[in-house]
Amino acid sequence: SAAQAWGLAVGGIVCIALLIVAGWYLAQGKFWQAAGWATNAVLGLSLFYSTHYLENTFRTSHDFARLSLVGVVENAAALLMLGAVAVLNFYGLCVRALVAAGVSTLLLYLWRPLRVKPKWSLVHLKHLLIIGAPIFAVGKLFAWWTLINSTLVLKMVGTEGMGLYSMVLIAGSTLELLPAAMTQVVYPRM
């Protein structure tokens, strides 16, 4: 309950802040920027609630099957929405991201194994922080390493080399699908 309240609160704050930026661009008549910021506002809320809370409630082997199915459906929705990118250009990218995140969030919510209401509890939040912060820090260090690698590649070989390196990143992420899917179940148990 405390983790859900935290995810909704932080996601809501991020969403509101980004919607304000989107509104500012909209008022200036910069529609692409407004659409991009509005999309990120919704994706920010989805990140904190869906990815950081709902996904972590799936912990058993039965949950693993459902969580994997959510990933498959999300990727299928993203693939099907490629047509929107061809037709709507940048707005299609926004629609594609929103549909994929929306489908994922909806399925995670409908199939959630823990049906609790959000409730603030500083004691429980403190407990979650003490246990989760070290695990979170290790995960973020790995993400920073990927960012540092990409920055060094761009600096050393330019945009053409970065384009070639991005193919390595895509292949790497494909090879990591199974370990990443298993991590989604093991990580919450830790």
Side-chain angles (χ1 to χ4, degrees):
S1 294
Q4 183 179 26
W6 177 258
L8 286 170
V10 174
I13 290 168
V14 168
C15 183
I16 290 168
L18 295 178
L19 283 175
I20 290 170
V21 175
W24 185 74
Y25 278 112
L26 185 62
Q28 293 184 357
K30 296 181 178 180
F31 301 114
W32 278 21
Q33 289 93 335
W37 284 101
T39 299
N40 281 313
V42 175
L43 294 177
L45 178 59
S46 175
L47 172 72
F48 285 101
Y49 181 65
S50 178
T51 306
H52 289 307
Y53 170 70
L54 286 176
E55 276 189 16
N56 286 323
T57 62
F58 290 74
R59 298 184 306 256
T60 66
S61 58
H62 177 68
D63 294 336
F64 175 73
R66 280 192 169 174
L67 193 57
S68 298
L69 183 57
V70 169
V72 169
V73 172
E74 178 183 5
N75 287 316
L79 183 63
L80 289 173
M81 293 306 297
L82 283 175
V85 177
V87 174
L88 300 172
N89 211 348
F90 177 74
Y91 299 115
L93 284 173
C94 295
V95 169
R96 179 178 178 262
L98 291 172
V99 167
V103 165
S104 174
T105 301
L106 178 64
L107 289 176
L108 288 170
Y109 180 80
L110 292 175
W111 293 342
R112 67 194 185 281
L114 301 174
R115 297 183 180 266
V116 296
K117 293 183 179 180
K119 181 181 175 188
W120 280 107
S121 170
L122 293 178
V123 172
H124 290 126
L125 284 172
K126 181 180 173 186
H127 180 70
L128 285 172
L129 181 66
I130 290 169
I131 291 174
I135 298 169
F136 180 77
V138 169
K140 289 303 158 193
L141 281 175
F142 181 73
W144 276 96
W145 180 250
T146 303
L147 179 66
I148 290 169
N149 274 344
S150 297
T151 304
L152 289 173
V153 167
L154 180 62
K155 179 75 174 164
M156 295 173 100
V157 295
T159 55
E160 185 175 326
M162 184 63 192
L164 294 172
Y165 181 66
S166 66
M167 299 306 290
V168 172
L169 294 176
I170 290 169
S173 65
T174 303
L175 292 172
E176 291 175 359
L177 280 176
L178 182 60
M182 292 177 70
T183 299
Q184 284 181 317
V185 174
V186 175
Y187 192 77
R189 289 182 180 180
M190 291 172 27

